[in-house]
């Protein structure tokens, strides 16, 4: 019988004893490292981030358990041998907590099932011992404050060393990183929009902070989910956080599909022993300002030159002041244009008109963004040439002048 199996069985006995006698078991969290599987058909790594700004972590374990068990061979006993599971704890200094593989001690279904259960048992046990009810002073699994998911991904990737194996990483955490290469509690380091999320991910790539996830599929449980008391996130902040990690994993040559992000899957309050992390306070600005010709944002035909520069500067000053007052640290200036022809003509020339308008509206957005910057806004200003508005025609497909005026606009949002 393998050492890891003995440990797991001994652990189960000790836990049962503890439940019957109300005594704390001795050395119940001594979890060992098994050698890597010689020929793993599947290599699985689980990253656990049981933080104080999350939910009850046992509910997250439960949500992911079916998938992890299936990867280890539950329901497919005859093909389970050699399947490997590594568990990484994503605290402030992530490390490999345990590794094991399905190693039956006989050919009977009972032997195979026992080997699978032994390997899977450490998945929940690490969380319980590190930041759950089984944590006691002097445990083998010690934790540091804060959480570093990027480093944890690197540690997990290091365990997936067999190029012939099917590689999977399960991340159990809300995605808020407070240590390491990006500290989201610090100003300017939380992804507040898709554009900014992409910029932050690119910055991490530029400094070599991304893991090597080549050939790895990632599945995420609890991404964007917080306890709602110590930590709150707007829906936009939660969505941007998810997009950030998709960008990070994509730039790391891994795959995290939208369907593989399981967001609100947990419940309950964090365990009292959860890893303490700093709260983040991302901007919650939700301003949207639409500016039309009547507001002074009018351009000369087929140009990014303002008809009345003085009025345009005044409009930009109002935008700057509004976003500063709302404590917004980022904005995007969108440019829109009218097609200038009736619907039938537009449909016949759509590609050419759209291409021209997209380039023109980007130049116009940049022109207004420059005025906003000069007016005093010091945050990040993004620009977007949306192009043809597409809503300037009446029911018969003819140009409606009032609708056309509404198409010619600049729109500023966070």
């Amino acid at each position: 019988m393998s050492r890891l199996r003995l440990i797991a069985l001994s652990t189960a006995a000790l836990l049962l004893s503890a439940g019957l006698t109300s005594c704390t078991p001795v050395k119940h969290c001594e979890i060992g490292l098994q050698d890597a599987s010689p020929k793993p058909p599947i290599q699985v790594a689980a990253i656990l981030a049981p933080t104080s700004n999350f939910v009850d972590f046992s509910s997250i374990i439960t949500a992911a358990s079916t998938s992890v068990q299936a990867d280890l061979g539950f329901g497919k006993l005859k093909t389970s041998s050699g399947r490997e599971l590594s568990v990484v704890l994503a605290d402030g200094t992530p490390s490999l907590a345990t590794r094991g593989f399905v190693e039956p001690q006989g050919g009977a279904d009972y032997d195979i099932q026992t080997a699978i259960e032994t390997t899977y048992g450490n998945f929940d046990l690490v969380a319980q011992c590190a930041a759950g009810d089984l944590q006691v002073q002097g445990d083998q699994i010690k934790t540091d404050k804060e959480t570093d998911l990027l480093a944890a991904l690197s540690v997990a990737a290091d365990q997936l060393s067999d190029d012939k194996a099917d590689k999977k990483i399960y991340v159990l955490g809300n995605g808020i990183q407070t240590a390491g290469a990006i500290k989201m509690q610090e100003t300017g380091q939380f992804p507040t929009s898709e554009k900014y999320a992409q910029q932050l991910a690119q910055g991490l790539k530029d400094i070599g902070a991304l893991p090597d996830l080549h050939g790895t599929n990632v599945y995420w449980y609890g991404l964007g989910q917080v306890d709602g008391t110590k930590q709150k996130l707007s829906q936009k902040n939660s969505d941007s956080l998810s997009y950030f990690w998709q960008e990070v994993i994509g730039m790391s040559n891994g795959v995290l599909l939208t369907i593989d992000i399981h967001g609100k899957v947990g419940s309950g309050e964090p365990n009292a022993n959860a890893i303490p992390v700093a709260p983040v306070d991302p901007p919650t600005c939700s301003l949207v300002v639409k500016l039309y010709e009547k507001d002074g944002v009018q351009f000369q035909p087929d140009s990014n030159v303002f008809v009345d520069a003085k009025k345009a500067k005044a409009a930009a000053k109002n935008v700057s002041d509004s976003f500063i007052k709302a404590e917004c640290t980022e904005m995007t200036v969108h440019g829109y244009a009218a097609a200038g022809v009736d619907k039938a003509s537009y449909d016949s020339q759509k590609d050419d008109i759209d291409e021209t308008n997209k380039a023109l509206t980007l130049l116009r957005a940049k022109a207004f963004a420059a005025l906003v910057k000069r007016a005093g806004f010091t945050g990040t200003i993004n620009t977007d040439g949306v192009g043809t508005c597409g809503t300037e025609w009446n029911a018969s497909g003819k140009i409606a002048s009032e609708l056309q005026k509404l198409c010619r606009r600049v729109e500023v949002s966070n």
Side-chain angles (χ1 to χ4, degrees):
M1 186 177 293
S2 69
R3 179 175 179 271
L4 192 63
R5 184 181 177 193
L6 282 169
I7 291 171
L9 294 176
S10 298
T11 298
L14 286 168
L15 293 177
L16 178 61
S17 173
L20 294 174
T21 64
S22 299
C23 295
T24 301
V26 178
K27 296 183 179 179
H28 58 269
C29 284
E30 286 192 354
I31 301 176
L33 288 176
Q34 191 178 11
D35 291 337
S37 176
K39 291 183 179 180
I42 295 178
Q43 285 188 309
V44 179
I47 296 173
L48 311 184
T51 54
S52 60
N53 58 359
F54 204 11
V55 292
D56 178 10
F57 204 72
S58 62
S59 68
I60 303 296
I61 290 285
T62 299
S65 61
T66 300
S67 295
V68 175
Q69 289 171 353
D71 284 337
L72 290 176
F74 276 82
K76 297 180 179 179
L77 298 184
K78 299 304 180 183
T79 62
S80 63
S81 182
R83 298 187 183 207
E84 186 178 283
L85 173 66
S86 302
V87 183
V88 177
L89 185 64
D91 61 353
T93 55
S95 60
L96 178 64
T98 185
R99 179 183 60 234
F101 66 91
V102 179
E103 187 181 16
Q105 301 303 302
D109 285 354
Y110 171 80
D111 294 314
I112 301 172
Q113 186 74 25
T114 300
I116 295 173
E117 291 173 355
T118 299
T119 304
Y120 171 78
N122 291 302
F123 175 60
D124 181 36
L125 190 59
V126 169
Q128 288 294 315
C129 291
D133 291 336
L134 298 183
Q135 184 196 60
V136 296
Q137 187 175 5
D139 252 349
Q140 181 181 340
I141 301 181
K142 298 177 181 179
T143 60
D144 292 329
K145 293 181 180 180
E146 311 304 341
T147 180
D148 187 346
L149 290 160
L150 273 173
L153 280 166
S154 291
V155 174
D158 286 344
Q159 313 313 310
L160 310 181
S161 56
D162 193 322
D163 289 336
K164 295 181 179 180
D166 185 6
K167 301 178 183 180
K168 298 184 178 183
I169 292 179
Y170 290 89
V171 185
L172 281 65
N174 57 24
I176 297 177
Q177 176 161 328
T178 58
I182 183 168
K183 300 175 182 177
M184 294 181 180
Q185 72 274 28
E186 296 185 357
T187 302
Q189 296 200 43
F190 189 92
T192 52
S193 67
E194 287 191 3
K195 182 82 171 182
Y196 196 46
Q198 188 177 42
Q199 291 174 353
L200 288 173
Q202 184 63 52
L204 292 168
K205 181 179 180 180
D206 291 344
I207 64 173
L210 299 187
D212 180 7
L213 300 177
H214 183 76
T216 303
N217 289 317
V218 180
Y219 308 84
W220 203 306
Y221 287 80
L223 182 54
Q225 187 171 13
V226 293
D227 68 318
T229 302
K230 296 178 182 177
Q231 180 66 64
K232 296 181 180 181
L233 292 180
S234 68
Q235 187 60 53
K236 182 177 181 181
N237 286 333
S238 180
D239 292 343
S240 298
L241 185 63
S242 295
Y243 188 81
F244 167 78
W245 284 110
Q246 283 182 281
E247 287 290 293
V248 164
I249 290 168
M251 290 181 185
S252 304
N253 297 312
V255 178
L256 173 60
L257 300 177
T258 302
I259 59 173
D260 297 325
I261 297 176
H262 308 275
K264 306 294 188 291
V265 294
S267 61
E269 297 181 356
N271 192 286
N273 294 323
I275 299 169
V277 294
V280 303
D281 187 22
T284 55
C285 172
S286 57
L287 287 181
V288 177
V289 180
K290 297 182 180 181
L291 300 161
Y292 304 92
E293 293 179 356
K294 64 181 179 62
D295 300 308
V297 184
Q298 182 178 5
F299 298 91
Q300 295 180 12
D302 301 320
S303 169
N304 65 336
V305 177
F306 294 99
V307 170
D308 190 325
K310 186 175 180 180
K311 286 184 178 180
K313 288 178 182 178
K317 183 67 166 64
N318 288 336
V319 169
S320 176
D321 291 347
S322 297
F323 275 72
I324 290 172
K325 184 177 180 180
E327 298 183 348
C328 301
T329 59
E330 182 181 10
M331 70 170 69
T332 299
V333 181
H334 309 268
Y336 293 81
V341 295
D342 60 30
K343 183 71 163 57
S345 297
Y346 171 72
D347 287 342
S348 66
Q349 308 171 59
K350 185 178 185 304
D351 290 344
D352 289 340
I353 292 174
D354 285 351
E355 184 178 354
T356 298
N357 276 344
K358 191 165 185 64
L360 178 61
T361 54
L362 179 58
L363 291 175
R364 289 177 171 179
K366 289 182 176 180
F368 189 74
L371 293 183
V372 174
K373 187 174 182 65
R374 289 194 211 110
F377 186 77
T378 59
T380 301
I381 305 179
N382 307 304
T383 53
D384 178 24
V386 179
T388 309
C389 172
T391 58
E392 64 196 84
W393 306 289
N394 58 25
S396 61
K398 299 301 181 182
I399 292 175
S401 60
E402 291 305 313
L403 294 177
Q404 196 172 61
K405 287 180 181 180
L406 294 178
C407 273
R408 294 174 178 141
R409 71 180 187 270
V410 165
E411 191 170 305
V412 188
S413 62
N414 177 251

